[in-house]
Amino acid sequence: MRNTDGTHYGTGTLEQRVLEDPGKFRVLTGDRPTGRLHLGHYFGTLQNRVRLQELGVETFVLIADYQVLTDRDVAHHLSENVENLVLDYLAVGLDPARSTIFAHSAIPALNQLLLPFLSLVSVAELGRNPTVKDEIVHSRQAAVSGLMFTYPVHQAADILFCKSNLVPAGQDQLPHVELTRTIARRFNTRYGRAGDVFPEPEALLSAAPLLLGTDGGKMSKSRGNAIALADGVDETARLVRGAKTDSIRYISYDPAARPEVSSLLLLAALCQNRDPHEVAEEIGQGGSGALKKVVTEAVNEHLAPIRARRADYAKDRGYLRSVLQRGNERANTIAEATLKEVRGAMGTSY
Ligand code: TRP
């Protein structure tokens, strides 16, 4: 199914093409290291990344440390957050032997790609990006930095340096993927005399519907309404107990009319690999007390092996560092090769 802007949804043609020939695809995706990953990330993207890895799609996972500075002056606890991301990745099943985990700041060639890429987009185009506009509204800075407007171009370098053609991402990343396609196309047209240098990557949207935070708003680290993968059993129970519901005793799955109750049902259903309607029927007149009990148990049971693996990996910080170092090395080798090709195409190899 092709969207009007050229991207693809998580079902239909693109998904089928990936299943038919996973070897043809190279995934790049990533996260900002601003804290620990939560259930929204897990069901929204992490599970899908692991699935693609298991299908045999070559996978790159980027820790986007430079992007942390888009809406704040200082990136606090950066090394701790980076370590937590690596832990979350390993805990959910990303395998460093098959997936390259690396960090922005360790790849100088990304910055070298940024300048020619910037020359290919207009200031007006950068200003129109809806995700950037939204981030400016929620920014913690008094003034909007140049990085806020230009980071999507740097993100295009993230995606194109390894010639990724598949970007599993949430809805909010679609403008960035679209910009990446534009940059790839314009670069190829302007400099690709000897053939295309870059592929036009496609976005793969997650099939999982959106989970709400415990306050009924968007689940987000900064809003304190998220259940982190690393949260303990009791913390999970506490968070679910405090979750917003409604005043109707009978539990039913109706996302439009009852968003908070439905999101809790969805969470339990995702954890148990069941249909949310079925979970609702079982609870019936039990009310939100019974619902929360079911959700707490479902989450804790589903996350138990992930949390156990996370705790195990957390004991060996040397190993975590080595995973990142090896990922950085591999990403750098690929980035250098692409940069060489770009220099050749632009006539700047002296
Ligand atoms: N912008 C993404 C986020 O905020 C992180 C990111 C950086 C990314 N580079 C990427 C995602 C490349 C997909 C592809 O979560």
Side-chain angles (χ1 to χ4, degrees):
M1 191 172 24
R2 200 167 249 276
N3 202 359
T4 48
D5 63 1
T7 55
H8 287 82
Y9 288 114
T11 51
T13 326
L14 179 58
E15 178 67 30
Q16 271 160 16
R17 278 190 285 135
V18 174
L19 290 175
E20 273 162 24
D21 199 350
K24 269 201 188 144
F25 291 88
R26 185 179 258 191
V27 157
L28 182 123
T29 179
D31 304 282
R32 298 179 183 188
T34 51
R36 298 168 309 162
L37 297 178
H38 54 64
L39 287 171
H41 296 118
Y42 178 69
F43 288 113
T45 65
L46 294 173
Q47 260 194 339
N48 200 29
R49 289 180 200 172
V50 175
R51 183 183 69 100
L52 291 166
Q53 170 191 276
E54 297 306 319
L55 278 174
V57 180
E58 193 182 3
T59 302
F60 288 76
V61 184
L62 163 70
I63 298 179
D65 50 359
Y66 276 140
Q67 268 191 27
V68 178
L69 295 171
T70 51
D71 63 352
R72 63 199 86 188
D73 298 326
V74 186
H76 290 294
H77 310 295
L78 206 47
S79 64
E80 187 188 324
N81 287 343
V82 169
E83 203 166 88
N84 269 311
L85 264 192
V86 178
L87 271 177
D88 285 332
Y89 291 157
L90 297 177
V92 298
L94 285 174
D95 170 8
R98 290 176 289 165
S99 295
T100 303
I101 300 171
F102 68 103
H104 258 161
S105 57
I107 319 296
L110 289 178
N111 297 357
Q112 293 264 33
L113 292 173
L114 178 63
L115 293 188
F117 285 4
L118 276 170
S119 77
L120 296 167
V121 295
S122 70
V123 171
E125 279 171 316
L126 293 177
R128 272 201 295 271
N129 187 309
T131 299
V132 169
K133 280 191 190 167
D134 186 61
E135 284 167 345
I136 288 172
V137 173
H138 293 103
S139 166
R140 303 170 199 188
Q141 285 180 305
V144 179
S145 75
L147 183 62
M148 178 61 102
F149 279 108
T150 51
Y151 87 79
V153 184
H154 191 257
Q155 183 157 336
D158 297 340
I159 297 169
L160 295 177
F161 91 89
C162 62
K163 305 199 177 183
S164 155
N165 53 5
L166 190 64
V167 183
Q171 194 83 33
D172 62 334
Q173 299 299 304
L174 292 183
H176 303 342
V177 178
E178 191 48 33
L179 179 74
T180 304
R181 294 168 60 86
T182 303
I183 289 173
R185 204 161 48 237
R186 289 182 188 161
F187 188 95
N188 291 338
T189 306
R190 192 168 298 177
Y191 301 111
R193 278 176 298 273
D196 284 354
V197 176
F198 295 113
E200 278 186 50
E202 297 178 83
L204 185 67
L205 277 180
S206 158
L210 209 65
L211 279 176
L212 300 179
T214 50
D215 59 357
K218 182 182 177 227
M219 195 185 281
S220 151
K221 296 174 246 201
S222 57
R223 299 185 198 191
N225 65 359
I227 300 170
L229 295 178
D231 281 335
V233 168
D234 296 340
E235 177 68 0
T236 301
R238 191 187 67 78
L239 288 164
V240 174
R241 216 178 303 124
K244 191 172 169 205
T245 52
D246 56 36
S247 53
I248 307 167
R249 179 156 189 93
Y250 187 76
I251 297 300
S252 60
Y253 185 68
D254 184 352
R258 307 183 70 184
E260 298 90 358
V261 163
S262 299
S263 182
L264 285 170
L265 286 165
L266 176 65
L267 176 54
L270 287 168
C271 288
Q272 297 177 333
N273 209 3
R274 292 170 71 195
D275 185 303
H277 291 101
E278 200 186 294
V279 181
E281 263 165 45
E282 250 171 47
I283 300 168
Q285 292 292 351
S288 44
L291 169 63
K292 288 177 176 179
K293 192 161 169 279
V294 168
V295 172
T296 302
E297 280 171 12
V299 171
N300 280 336
E301 193 173 317
H302 186 87
L303 290 186
I306 293 174
R307 287 167 170 165
R309 270 200 301 273
R310 199 182 192 284
D312 256 0
Y313 283 120
K315 291 181 199 145
D316 193 350
R317 301 179 70 179
Y319 175 69
L320 298 179
R321 292 216 163 272
S322 78
V323 165
L324 201 51
Q325 272 161 9
R326 272 180 285 142
N328 288 340
E329 259 172 49
R330 181 166 151 65
N332 262 318
T333 306
I334 295 170
E336 282 299 331
T338 301
L339 189 57
K340 197 167 169 209
E341 225 184 305
V342 163
R343 286 191 178 120
M346 294 181 72
T348 52
S349 26
Y350 314 113

